[in-house]
Amino acid sequence: MNKKDILELKRRMKKTHCTFTRMCGCYVNAEKEIVLTFNENFLNLEEDELHKYLEIAAKTLSGTPGNNLLELSFPKEQEEAGGKQQFLMGLKESRLKNDELAQAFYQLVIENYDYAGNYLIVLFHDAYDVMTKTSDNNALDESEEVYEYLLAAVCPVALSKPGLGYLESENRIGPRMRDWVVGVPDVGFVFPAFTERSTDVHSAMYYTKDTKEPHDEFMEFILGCPARQTATEKKNTFQEIVSGAVPDERKRGRVLYDIHETLQGMVEEKALYTEPEQEPDPIVLTPQAIQDVLTSSNVPEEIAVRIERSYTEKFADEPPVADLLVDKKILNAGAHERREEELLVEVQQLKDELGLTKNELALAQSTARAVSDFAEGAVGEAAVALTPEDASCEVILRVAPKKADQITTQMIGGRRCIVIPMEENEHASINGAELAEE
């Protein structure tokens, strides 16, 4: 059953579209005793009651296929006389009018369903006249087939929370009565499955509210099908495989992020090349496919080998699909960590640039002070080297701007000399000592 098949059934869970013929069920207490049973024509229910039961039925068709909704296949032996599939076929064909078959189903649930507390078992029977659709999904006014099925839901029943309320008989505010309230379904199923808008008696669609603990015992002992892992279980198993293959905790998060980023990219690319009105084909992560994922994620070879070995052991029979394996929390955490690393690099670059700017500023300030000192005729330490590079020079000149273009070099006595012409009214100093006139 794909999303379109499930939505087609779910849209019928409204009074204006619903064709449920009958409903039956029982209320079971925490001691696994049947407190009451009921069997009624569905359309004869009071309107408020009818809507509440439709909400229960619709909830059993909600969630994500492959996670909350699992398609279960019946083994061959269960389709033979005495098998669970044959029992469900008889219950369906009775249209819930056979109380003995209904009681047998209740007992099957009570004996095998692992739940501590009160709960309600509800069975609905429906006969859906499936309309023929054209290639552009327009319905024609003619029947393709009659899809007859059972929808079952098991709902916890718990006491309402204590609180205050208006006590009309006493005209005051006081503690309100606590009632036993039916909650949303914990588990449920549709039989036969509705596959490609047609009856599939070899399969059932199973619903679980809790994808971490999907009640394997219900799948195995009540429906008689091999239990299947939900996407949540597969995701947790996959993360355990990767974590176990990366002993260094500091590297583990990065490896997980790189792998999930690659998976997310594969899913987005698949959707990009899929027609808008179509559902993208699932990307099945076979052992060979996961090897390609690890290579694309630049996972070190020794770690990749360990992951591939464990992955094959866990998922050889039923590989997960990429879009249900992607963990948004890991992607968000990894993206946040990567951004922090990028910010640290940017901060260090800014520090380096700021340090260079400070040095340049110090040099400019030193030069400005020296020029100012010279203009005022200052002597002493102001005439000392201006920059660190000056320390390697034996001769350092500092002259008034008007003298700079008068300076030349000449060979005198075989030596290169600096020649600075001096006027009668000009003075010179060397290292703070005034140069004597000859």
Side-chain angles (χ1 to χ4, degrees), residues 28-64:
V28 183
N29 64 21
E31 286 71 41
K32 295 185 176 295
E33 299 170 337
I34 295 179
V35 178
L36 65 88
T37 61
F38 53 90
N39 193 320
E40 304 179 51
N41 185 317
F42 187 78
L43 295 179
N44 289 343
L45 295 173
E46 295 290 335
E47 186 162 344
D48 288 347
E49 189 177 3
L50 183 145
H51 284 298
K52 290 300 179 184
Y53 278 114
L54 283 177
E55 287 177 8
I56 289 174
K59 192 65 179 177
T60 311
L61 294 167
S62 64
T64 306

PDB file of all heavy atoms in Angstrom, residues 28-64:
ATOM      1  N   VAL A  28     -11.948  -4.213  27.560  1.00  0.00           N
ATOM      2  CA  VAL A  28     -11.153  -5.145  28.362  1.00  0.00           C
ATOM      3  C   VAL A  28     -10.499  -4.374  29.507  1.00  0.00           C
ATOM      4  O   VAL A  28      -9.922  -3.303  29.295  1.00  0.00           O
ATOM      5  CB  VAL A  28     -10.067  -5.827  27.505  1.00  0.00           C
ATOM      6  CG1 VAL A  28      -9.281  -6.842  28.319  1.00  0.00           C
ATOM      7  CG2 VAL A  28     -10.689  -6.478  26.285  1.00  0.00           C
ATOM      8  N   ASN A  29     -10.581  -4.919  30.733  1.00  0.00           N
ATOM      9  CA  ASN A  29      -9.947  -4.239  31.872  1.00  0.00           C
ATOM     10  C   ASN A  29      -8.507  -4.712  32.056  1.00  0.00           C
ATOM     11  O   ASN A  29      -8.007  -5.567  31.306  1.00  0.00           O
ATOM     12  CB  ASN A  29     -10.776  -4.421  33.153  1.00  0.00           C
ATOM     13  CG  ASN A  29     -10.860  -5.879  33.590  1.00  0.00           C
ATOM     14  OD1 ASN A  29     -10.031  -6.729  33.224  1.00  0.00           O
ATOM     15  ND2 ASN A  29     -11.884  -6.194  34.386  1.00  0.00           N
ATOM     16  N   ALA A  30      -7.833  -4.158  33.065  1.00  0.00           N
ATOM     17  CA  ALA A  30      -6.411  -4.449  33.291  1.00  0.00           C
ATOM     18  C   ALA A  30      -6.171  -5.902  33.678  1.00  0.00           C
ATOM     19  O   ALA A  30      -5.039  -6.398  33.559  1.00  0.00           O
ATOM     20  CB  ALA A  30      -5.868  -3.517  34.364  1.00  0.00           C
ATOM     21  N   GLU A  31      -7.218  -6.587  34.158  1.00  0.00           N
ATOM     22  CA  GLU A  31      -7.091  -8.017  34.515  1.00  0.00           C
ATOM     23  C   GLU A  31      -7.358  -8.918  33.316  1.00  0.00           C
ATOM     24  O   GLU A  31      -7.521 -10.132  33.468  1.00  0.00           O
ATOM     25  CB  GLU A  31      -8.063  -8.362  35.652  1.00  0.00           C
ATOM     26  CG  GLU A  31      -7.646  -7.839  37.018  1.00  0.00           C
ATOM     27  CD  GLU A  31      -7.777  -6.331  37.122  1.00  0.00           C
ATOM     28  OE1 GLU A  31      -8.793  -5.784  36.603  1.00  0.00           O
ATOM     29  OE2 GLU A  31      -6.887  -5.688  37.708  1.00  0.00           O
ATOM     30  N   LYS A  32      -7.452  -8.311  32.125  1.00  0.00           N
ATOM     31  CA  LYS A  32      -7.712  -9.032  30.866  1.00  0.00           C
ATOM     32  C   LYS A  32      -9.077  -9.719  30.875  1.00  0.00           C
ATOM     33  O   LYS A  32      -9.259 -10.810  30.327  1.00  0.00           O
ATOM     34  CB  LYS A  32      -6.591 -10.047  30.573  1.00  0.00           C
ATOM     35  CG  LYS A  32      -5.232  -9.405  30.319  1.00  0.00           C
ATOM     36  CD  LYS A  32      -4.194 -10.439  29.915  1.00  0.00           C
ATOM     37  CE  LYS A  32      -2.860  -9.782  29.573  1.00  0.00           C
ATOM     38  NZ  LYS A  32      -2.936  -8.915  28.398  1.00  0.00           N
ATOM     39  N   GLU A  33     -10.040  -9.059  31.490  1.00  0.00           N
ATOM     40  CA  GLU A  33     -11.408  -9.552  31.520  1.00  0.00           C
ATOM     41  C   GLU A  33     -12.280  -8.679  30.611  1.00  0.00           C
ATOM     42  O   GLU A  33     -12.140  -7.446  30.600  1.00  0.00           O
ATOM     43  CB  GLU A  33     -11.972  -9.513  32.941  1.00  0.00           C
ATOM     44  CG  GLU A  33     -11.190 -10.373  33.924  1.00  0.00           C
ATOM     45  CD  GLU A  33     -11.617 -10.119  35.362  1.00  0.00           C
ATOM     46  OE1 GLU A  33     -12.173  -9.030  35.655  1.00  0.00           O
ATOM     47  OE2 GLU A  33     -11.383 -11.003  36.211  1.00  0.00           O
ATOM     48  N   ILE A  34     -13.181  -9.306  29.875  1.00  0.00           N
ATOM     49  CA  ILE A  34     -14.097  -8.553  29.029  1.00  0.00           C
ATOM     50  C   ILE A  34     -15.195  -7.960  29.906  1.00  0.00           C
ATOM     51  O   ILE A  34     -15.953  -8.689  30.562  1.00  0.00           O
ATOM     52  CB  ILE A  34     -14.695  -9.445  27.932  1.00  0.00           C
ATOM     53  CG1 ILE A  34     -13.587  -9.907  26.969  1.00  0.00           C
ATOM     54  CG2 ILE A  34     -15.785  -8.699  27.165  1.00  0.00           C
ATOM     55  CD1 ILE A  34     -14.086 -10.815  25.862  1.00  0.00           C
ATOM     56  N   VAL A  35     -15.290  -6.637  29.922  1.00  0.00           N
ATOM     57  CA  VAL A  35     -16.285  -5.940  30.727  1.00  0.00           C
ATOM     58  C   VAL A  35     -17.608  -5.838  29.969  1.00  0.00           C
ATOM     59  O   VAL A  35     -18.687  -6.019  30.536  1.00  0.00           O
ATOM     60  CB  VAL A  35     -15.781  -4.536  31.124  1.00  0.00           C
ATOM     61  CG1 VAL A  35     -16.832  -3.777  31.920  1.00  0.00           C
ATOM     62  CG2 VAL A  35     -14.487  -4.643  31.914  1.00  0.00           C
ATOM     63  N   LEU A  36     -17.518  -5.553  28.659  1.00  0.00           N
ATOM     64  CA  LEU A  36     -18.734  -5.463  27.840  1.00  0.00           C
ATOM     65  C   LEU A  36     -18.387  -5.716  26.382  1.00  0.00           C
ATOM     66  O   LEU A  36     -17.234  -5.559  25.967  1.00  0.00           O
ATOM     67  CB  LEU A  36     -19.415  -4.096  27.998  1.00  0.00           C
ATOM     68  CG  LEU A  36     -18.661  -2.855  27.494  1.00  0.00           C
ATOM     69  CD1 LEU A  36     -18.965  -2.594  26.011  1.00  0.00           C
ATOM     70  CD2 LEU A  36     -19.050  -1.628  28.295  1.00  0.00           C
ATOM     71  N   THR A  37     -19.384  -6.100  25.617  1.00  0.00           N
ATOM     72  CA  THR A  37     -19.240  -6.242  24.161  1.00  0.00           C
ATOM     73  C   THR A  37     -20.383  -5.480  23.490  1.00  0.00           C
ATOM     74  O   THR A  37     -21.411  -5.198  24.115  1.00  0.00           O
ATOM     75  CB  THR A  37     -19.296  -7.718  23.725  1.00  0.00           C
ATOM     76  OG1 THR A  37     -20.561  -8.269  24.091  1.00  0.00           O
ATOM     77  CG2 THR A  37     -18.163  -8.522  24.359  1.00  0.00           C
ATOM     78  N   PHE A  38     -20.200  -5.152  22.219  1.00  0.00           N
ATOM     79  CA  PHE A  38     -21.252  -4.455  21.471  1.00  0.00           C
ATOM     80  C   PHE A  38     -21.154  -4.846  20.002  1.00  0.00           C
ATOM     81  O   PHE A  38     -20.086  -5.199  19.499  1.00  0.00           O
ATOM     82  CB  PHE A  38     -21.150  -2.939  21.635  1.00  0.00           C
ATOM     83  CG  PHE A  38     -19.792  -2.370  21.308  1.00  0.00           C
ATOM     84  CD1 PHE A  38     -19.475  -1.958  20.020  1.00  0.00           C
ATOM     85  CD2 PHE A  38     -18.807  -2.272  22.298  1.00  0.00           C
ATOM     86  CE1 PHE A  38     -18.231  -1.440  19.717  1.00  0.00           C
ATOM     87  CE2 PHE A  38     -17.548  -1.758  21.993  1.00  0.00           C
ATOM     88  CZ  PHE A  38     -17.253  -1.339  20.718  1.00  0.00           C
ATOM     89  N   ASN A  39     -22.259  -4.763  19.301  1.00  0.00           N
ATOM     90  CA  ASN A  39     -22.323  -5.086  17.876  1.00  0.00           C
ATOM     91  C   ASN A  39     -23.494  -4.298  17.297  1.00  0.00           C
ATOM     92  O   ASN A  39     -24.657  -4.569  17.626  1.00  0.00           O
ATOM     93  CB  ASN A  39     -22.527  -6.591  17.670  1.00  0.00           C
ATOM     94  CG  ASN A  39     -22.278  -7.009  16.229  1.00  0.00           C
ATOM     95  OD1 ASN A  39     -22.661  -6.316  15.298  1.00  0.00           O
ATOM     96  ND2 ASN A  39     -21.637  -8.159  16.067  1.00  0.00           N
ATOM     97  N   GLU A  40     -23.198  -3.316  16.431  1.00  0.00           N
ATOM     98  CA  GLU A  40     -24.234  -2.397  15.986  1.00  0.00           C
ATOM     99  C   GLU A  40     -24.107  -2.071  14.504  1.00  0.00           C
ATOM    100  O   GLU A  40     -23.019  -2.173  13.925  1.00  0.00           O
ATOM    101  CB  GLU A  40     -24.162  -1.084  16.781  1.00  0.00           C
ATOM    102  CG  GLU A  40     -24.244  -1.254  18.282  1.00  0.00           C
ATOM    103  CD  GLU A  40     -24.146   0.072  19.018  1.00  0.00           C
ATOM    104  OE1 GLU A  40     -24.900   0.991  18.644  1.00  0.00           O
ATOM    105  OE2 GLU A  40     -23.323   0.175  19.939  1.00  0.00           O
ATOM    106  N   ASN A  41     -25.215  -1.667  13.943  1.00  0.00           N
ATOM    107  CA  ASN A  41     -25.218  -1.097  12.607  1.00  0.00           C
ATOM    108  C   ASN A  41     -24.566   0.279  12.721  1.00  0.00           C
ATOM    109  O   ASN A  41     -25.055   1.132  13.457  1.00  0.00           O
ATOM    110  CB  ASN A  41     -26.648  -0.982  12.084  1.00  0.00           C
ATOM    111  CG  ASN A  41     -26.689  -0.497  10.649  1.00  0.00           C
ATOM    112  OD1 ASN A  41     -25.970   0.411  10.253  1.00  0.00           O
ATOM    113  ND2 ASN A  41     -27.560  -1.120   9.864  1.00  0.00           N
ATOM    114  N   PHE A  42     -23.496   0.500  11.988  1.00  0.00           N
ATOM    115  CA  PHE A  42     -22.699   1.717  12.187  1.00  0.00           C
ATOM    116  C   PHE A  42     -23.497   2.990  11.918  1.00  0.00           C
ATOM    117  O   PHE A  42     -23.411   3.961  12.671  1.00  0.00           O
ATOM    118  CB  PHE A  42     -21.454   1.683  11.293  1.00  0.00           C
ATOM    119  CG  PHE A  42     -20.496   2.804  11.555  1.00  0.00           C
ATOM    120  CD1 PHE A  42     -19.637   2.766  12.638  1.00  0.00           C
ATOM    121  CD2 PHE A  42     -20.460   3.916  10.726  1.00  0.00           C
ATOM    122  CE1 PHE A  42     -18.758   3.803  12.898  1.00  0.00           C
ATOM    123  CE2 PHE A  42     -19.588   4.960  10.964  1.00  0.00           C
ATOM    124  CZ  PHE A  42     -18.731   4.900  12.058  1.00  0.00           C
ATOM    125  N   LEU A  43     -24.268   2.998  10.862  1.00  0.00           N
ATOM    126  CA  LEU A  43     -24.970   4.227  10.478  1.00  0.00           C
ATOM    127  C   LEU A  43     -26.136   4.547  11.400  1.00  0.00           C
ATOM    128  O   LEU A  43     -26.748   5.617  11.282  1.00  0.00           O
ATOM    129  CB  LEU A  43     -25.450   4.115   9.036  1.00  0.00           C
ATOM    130  CG  LEU A  43     -24.321   4.013   7.991  1.00  0.00           C
ATOM    131  CD1 LEU A  43     -24.905   3.868   6.592  1.00  0.00           C
ATOM    132  CD2 LEU A  43     -23.402   5.222   8.054  1.00  0.00           C
ATOM    133  N   ASN A  44     -26.469   3.645  12.351  1.00  0.00           N
ATOM    134  CA  ASN A  44     -27.527   3.917  13.325  1.00  0.00           C
ATOM    135  C   ASN A  44     -27.006   4.603  14.577  1.00  0.00           C
ATOM    136  O   ASN A  44     -27.786   4.929  15.475  1.00  0.00           O
ATOM    137  CB  ASN A  44     -28.241   2.618  13.720  1.00  0.00           C
ATOM    138  CG  ASN A  44     -29.110   2.080  12.594  1.00  0.00           C
ATOM    139  OD1 ASN A  44     -29.439   2.816  11.649  1.00  0.00           O
ATOM    140  ND2 ASN A  44     -29.475   0.810  12.672  1.00  0.00           N
ATOM    141  N   LEU A  45     -25.687   4.819  14.657  1.00  0.00           N
ATOM    142  CA  LEU A  45     -25.110   5.472  15.839  1.00  0.00           C
ATOM    143  C   LEU A  45     -25.539   6.929  15.914  1.00  0.00           C
ATOM    144  O   LEU A  45     -25.837   7.566  14.894  1.00  0.00           O
ATOM    145  CB  LEU A  45     -23.583   5.395  15.791  1.00  0.00           C
ATOM    146  CG  LEU A  45     -22.946   4.002  15.867  1.00  0.00           C
ATOM    147  CD1 LEU A  45     -21.441   4.120  15.631  1.00  0.00           C
ATOM    148  CD2 LEU A  45     -23.224   3.344  17.211  1.00  0.00           C
ATOM    149  N   GLU A  46     -25.558   7.457  17.153  1.00  0.00           N
ATOM    150  CA  GLU A  46     -25.785   8.889  17.331  1.00  0.00           C
ATOM    151  C   GLU A  46     -24.658   9.647  16.628  1.00  0.00           C
ATOM    152  O   GLU A  46     -23.525   9.164  16.539  1.00  0.00           O
ATOM    153  CB  GLU A  46     -25.798   9.245  18.814  1.00  0.00           C
ATOM    154  CG  GLU A  46     -26.944   8.633  19.597  1.00  0.00           C
ATOM    155  CD  GLU A  46     -28.277   9.263  19.229  1.00  0.00           C
ATOM    156  OE1 GLU A  46     -28.278  10.435  18.767  1.00  0.00           O
ATOM    157  OE2 GLU A  46     -29.309   8.583  19.390  1.00  0.00           O
ATOM    158  N   GLU A  47     -24.959  10.849  16.144  1.00  0.00           N
ATOM    159  CA  GLU A  47     -24.000  11.566  15.303  1.00  0.00           C
ATOM    160  C   GLU A  47     -22.666  11.812  16.013  1.00  0.00           C
ATOM    161  O   GLU A  47     -21.602  11.592  15.432  1.00  0.00           O
ATOM    162  CB  GLU A  47     -24.598  12.894  14.831  1.00  0.00           C
ATOM    163  CG  GLU A  47     -23.692  13.602  13.831  1.00  0.00           C
ATOM    164  CD  GLU A  47     -24.430  14.654  13.031  1.00  0.00           C
ATOM    165  OE1 GLU A  47     -25.673  14.633  13.029  1.00  0.00           O
ATOM    166  OE2 GLU A  47     -23.749  15.486  12.406  1.00  0.00           O
ATOM    167  N   ASP A  48     -22.713  12.283  17.270  1.00  0.00           N
ATOM    168  CA  ASP A  48     -21.463  12.543  18.003  1.00  0.00           C
ATOM    169  C   ASP A  48     -20.646  11.267  18.162  1.00  0.00           C
ATOM    170  O   ASP A  48     -19.420  11.259  18.008  1.00  0.00           O
ATOM    171  CB  ASP A  48     -21.761  13.135  19.383  1.00  0.00           C
ATOM    172  CG  ASP A  48     -22.252  14.571  19.291  1.00  0.00           C
ATOM    173  OD1 ASP A  48     -22.130  15.168  18.202  1.00  0.00           O
ATOM    174  OD2 ASP A  48     -22.738  15.100  20.311  1.00  0.00           O
ATOM    175  N   GLU A  49     -21.328  10.173  18.471  1.00  0.00           N
ATOM    176  CA  GLU A  49     -20.668   8.889  18.658  1.00  0.00           C
ATOM    177  C   GLU A  49     -20.069   8.413  17.341  1.00  0.00           C
ATOM    178  O   GLU A  49     -18.936   7.917  17.298  1.00  0.00           O
ATOM    179  CB  GLU A  49     -21.689   7.884  19.187  1.00  0.00           C
ATOM    180  CG  GLU A  49     -21.091   6.557  19.645  1.00  0.00           C
ATOM    181  CD  GLU A  49     -22.148   5.632  20.226  1.00  0.00           C
ATOM    182  OE1 GLU A  49     -23.340   6.004  20.209  1.00  0.00           O
ATOM    183  OE2 GLU A  49     -21.777   4.522  20.670  1.00  0.00           O
ATOM    184  N   LEU A  50     -20.830   8.568  16.259  1.00  0.00           N
ATOM    185  CA  LEU A  50     -20.363   8.157  14.942  1.00  0.00           C
ATOM    186  C   LEU A  50     -19.079   8.886  14.564  1.00  0.00           C
ATOM    187  O   LEU A  50     -18.117   8.271  14.074  1.00  0.00           O
ATOM    188  CB  LEU A  50     -21.463   8.409  13.907  1.00  0.00           C
ATOM    189  CG  LEU A  50     -21.185   7.978  12.468  1.00  0.00           C
ATOM    190  CD1 LEU A  50     -22.461   7.482  11.803  1.00  0.00           C
ATOM    191  CD2 LEU A  50     -20.609   9.132  11.649  1.00  0.00           C
ATOM    192  N   HIS A  51     -19.032  10.188  14.803  1.00  0.00           N
ATOM    193  CA  HIS A  51     -17.843  10.975  14.454  1.00  0.00           C
ATOM    194  C   HIS A  51     -16.622  10.525  15.264  1.00  0.00           C
ATOM    195  O   HIS A  51     -15.503  10.488  14.741  1.00  0.00           O
ATOM    196  CB  HIS A  51     -18.100  12.462  14.678  1.00  0.00           C
ATOM    197  CG  HIS A  51     -18.946  13.091  13.617  1.00  0.00           C
ATOM    198  ND1 HIS A  51     -18.552  13.141  12.293  1.00  0.00           N
ATOM    199  CD2 HIS A  51     -20.174  13.681  13.669  1.00  0.00           C
ATOM    200  CE1 HIS A  51     -19.486  13.740  11.574  1.00  0.00           C
ATOM    201  NE2 HIS A  51     -20.489  14.082  12.388  1.00  0.00           N
ATOM    202  N   LYS A  52     -16.832  10.197  16.544  1.00  0.00           N
ATOM    203  CA  LYS A  52     -15.707   9.760  17.377  1.00  0.00           C
ATOM    204  C   LYS A  52     -15.138   8.428  16.879  1.00  0.00           C
ATOM    205  O   LYS A  52     -13.923   8.226  16.863  1.00  0.00           O
ATOM    206  CB  LYS A  52     -16.162   9.633  18.839  1.00  0.00           C
ATOM    207  CG  LYS A  52     -16.463  10.969  19.499  1.00  0.00           C
ATOM    208  CD  LYS A  52     -15.240  11.881  19.504  1.00  0.00           C
ATOM    209  CE  LYS A  52     -15.530  13.214  20.140  1.00  0.00           C
ATOM    210  NZ  LYS A  52     -14.369  14.144  20.064  1.00  0.00           N
ATOM    211  N   TYR A  53     -16.019   7.524  16.470  1.00  0.00           N
ATOM    212  CA  TYR A  53     -15.530   6.245  15.945  1.00  0.00           C
ATOM    213  C   TYR A  53     -14.823   6.439  14.602  1.00  0.00           C
ATOM    214  O   TYR A  53     -13.839   5.751  14.302  1.00  0.00           O
ATOM    215  CB  TYR A  53     -16.680   5.252  15.800  1.00  0.00           C
ATOM    216  CG  TYR A  53     -17.018   4.550  17.101  1.00  0.00           C
ATOM    217  CD1 TYR A  53     -18.240   4.769  17.733  1.00  0.00           C
ATOM    218  CD2 TYR A  53     -16.120   3.668  17.691  1.00  0.00           C
ATOM    219  CE1 TYR A  53     -18.559   4.122  18.928  1.00  0.00           C
ATOM    220  CE2 TYR A  53     -16.418   3.006  18.877  1.00  0.00           C
ATOM    221  CZ  TYR A  53     -17.642   3.253  19.500  1.00  0.00           C
ATOM    222  OH  TYR A  53     -17.941   2.614  20.682  1.00  0.00           O
ATOM    223  N   LEU A  54     -15.318   7.375  13.798  1.00  0.00           N
ATOM    224  CA  LEU A  54     -14.640   7.659  12.535  1.00  0.00           C
ATOM    225  C   LEU A  54     -13.243   8.228  12.781  1.00  0.00           C
ATOM    226  O   LEU A  54     -12.312   7.951  12.022  1.00  0.00           O
ATOM    227  CB  LEU A  54     -15.467   8.640  11.695  1.00  0.00           C
ATOM    228  CG  LEU A  54     -16.689   8.059  10.978  1.00  0.00           C
ATOM    229  CD1 LEU A  54     -17.451   9.155  10.251  1.00  0.00           C
ATOM    230  CD2 LEU A  54     -16.275   6.965   9.989  1.00  0.00           C
ATOM    231  N   GLU A  55     -13.086   9.022  13.827  1.00  0.00           N
ATOM    232  CA  GLU A  55     -11.762   9.543  14.185  1.00  0.00           C
ATOM    233  C   GLU A  55     -10.811   8.405  14.537  1.00  0.00           C
ATOM    234  O   GLU A  55      -9.623   8.429  14.175  1.00  0.00           O
ATOM    235  CB  GLU A  55     -11.876  10.515  15.355  1.00  0.00           C
ATOM    236  CG  GLU A  55     -12.502  11.858  14.994  1.00  0.00           C
ATOM    237  CD  GLU A  55     -12.661  12.763  16.204  1.00  0.00           C
ATOM    238  OE1 GLU A  55     -12.146  12.409  17.291  1.00  0.00           O
ATOM    239  OE2 GLU A  55     -13.307  13.820  16.068  1.00  0.00           O
ATOM    240  N   ILE A  56     -11.320   7.409  15.250  1.00  0.00           N
ATOM    241  CA  ILE A  56     -10.493   6.241  15.594  1.00  0.00           C
ATOM    242  C   ILE A  56     -10.076   5.501  14.325  1.00  0.00           C
ATOM    243  O   ILE A  56      -8.901   5.131  14.150  1.00  0.00           O
ATOM    244  CB  ILE A  56     -11.271   5.306  16.546  1.00  0.00           C
ATOM    245  CG1 ILE A  56     -11.401   5.954  17.929  1.00  0.00           C
ATOM    246  CG2 ILE A  56     -10.575   3.946  16.650  1.00  0.00           C
ATOM    247  CD1 ILE A  56     -12.279   5.168  18.891  1.00  0.00           C
ATOM    248  N   ALA A  57     -11.030   5.299  13.418  1.00  0.00           N
ATOM    249  CA  ALA A  57     -10.725   4.595  12.165  1.00  0.00           C
ATOM    250  C   ALA A  57      -9.707   5.362  11.337  1.00  0.00           C
ATOM    251  O   ALA A  57      -8.758   4.782  10.791  1.00  0.00           O
ATOM    252  CB  ALA A  57     -12.013   4.378  11.369  1.00  0.00           C
ATOM    253  N   ALA A  58      -9.880   6.693  11.246  1.00  0.00           N
ATOM    254  CA  ALA A  58      -8.955   7.519  10.454  1.00  0.00           C
ATOM    255  C   ALA A  58      -7.560   7.500  11.059  1.00  0.00           C
ATOM    256  O   ALA A  58      -6.557   7.490  10.329  1.00  0.00           O
ATOM    257  CB  ALA A  58      -9.480   8.950  10.367  1.00  0.00           C
ATOM    258  N   LYS A  59      -7.476   7.477  12.379  1.00  0.00           N
ATOM    259  CA  LYS A  59      -6.156   7.465  13.035  1.00  0.00           C
ATOM    260  C   LYS A  59      -5.397   6.183  12.715  1.00  0.00           C
ATOM    261  O   LYS A  59      -4.168   6.176  12.608  1.00  0.00           O
ATOM    262  CB  LYS A  59      -6.333   7.610  14.556  1.00  0.00           C
ATOM    263  CG  LYS A  59      -5.047   7.908  15.296  1.00  0.00           C
ATOM    264  CD  LYS A  59      -4.487   9.257  14.900  1.00  0.00           C
ATOM    265  CE  LYS A  59      -3.202   9.566  15.655  1.00  0.00           C
ATOM    266  NZ  LYS A  59      -2.609  10.857  15.236  1.00  0.00           N
ATOM    267  N   THR A  60      -6.120   5.095  12.512  1.00  0.00           N
ATOM    268  CA  THR A  60      -5.481   3.822  12.179  1.00  0.00           C
ATOM    269  C   THR A  60      -4.887   3.845  10.774  1.00  0.00           C
ATOM    270  O   THR A  60      -4.112   2.959  10.411  1.00  0.00           O
ATOM    271  CB  THR A  60      -6.512   2.675  12.303  1.00  0.00           C
ATOM    272  OG1 THR A  60      -7.189   2.789  13.549  1.00  0.00           O
ATOM    273  CG2 THR A  60      -5.840   1.315  12.258  1.00  0.00           C
ATOM    274  N   LEU A  61      -5.258   4.868   9.987  1.00  0.00           N
ATOM    275  CA  LEU A  61      -4.709   5.019   8.633  1.00  0.00           C
ATOM    276  C   LEU A  61      -3.749   6.204   8.541  1.00  0.00           C
ATOM    277  O   LEU A  61      -3.463   6.686   7.449  1.00  0.00           O
ATOM    278  CB  LEU A  61      -5.853   5.232   7.637  1.00  0.00           C
ATOM    279  CG  LEU A  61      -6.810   4.051   7.446  1.00  0.00           C
ATOM    280  CD1 LEU A  61      -8.057   4.495   6.706  1.00  0.00           C
ATOM    281  CD2 LEU A  61      -6.116   2.916   6.723  1.00  0.00           C
ATOM    282  N   SER A  62      -3.262   6.673   9.668  1.00  0.00           N
ATOM    283  CA  SER A  62      -2.394   7.850   9.682  1.00  0.00           C
ATOM    284  C   SER A  62      -0.945   7.454   9.925  1.00  0.00           C
ATOM    285  O   SER A  62      -0.643   6.333  10.328  1.00  0.00           O
ATOM    286  CB  SER A  62      -2.841   8.833  10.765  1.00  0.00           C
ATOM    287  OG  SER A  62      -2.706   8.251  12.045  1.00  0.00           O
ATOM    288  N   GLY A  63      -0.054   8.404   9.687  1.00  0.00           N
ATOM    289  CA  GLY A  63       1.367   8.155   9.911  1.00  0.00           C
ATOM    290  C   GLY A  63       2.131   7.939   8.621  1.00  0.00           C
ATOM    291  O   GLY A  63       1.606   8.110   7.516  1.00  0.00           O
ATOM    292  N   THR A  64       3.365   7.535   8.763  1.00  0.00           N
ATOM    293  CA  THR A  64       4.267   7.375   7.626  1.00  0.00           C
ATOM    294  C   THR A  64       4.352   5.923   7.185  1.00  0.00           C
ATOM    295  O   THR A  64       4.659   5.046   8.009  1.00  0.00           O
ATOM    296  CB  THR A  64       5.681   7.861   8.006  1.00  0.00           C
ATOM    297  OG1 THR A  64       5.610   9.193   8.499  1.00  0.00           O
ATOM    298  CG2 THR A  64       6.619   7.801   6.806  1.00  0.00           C
TER     299      THR A  64
END
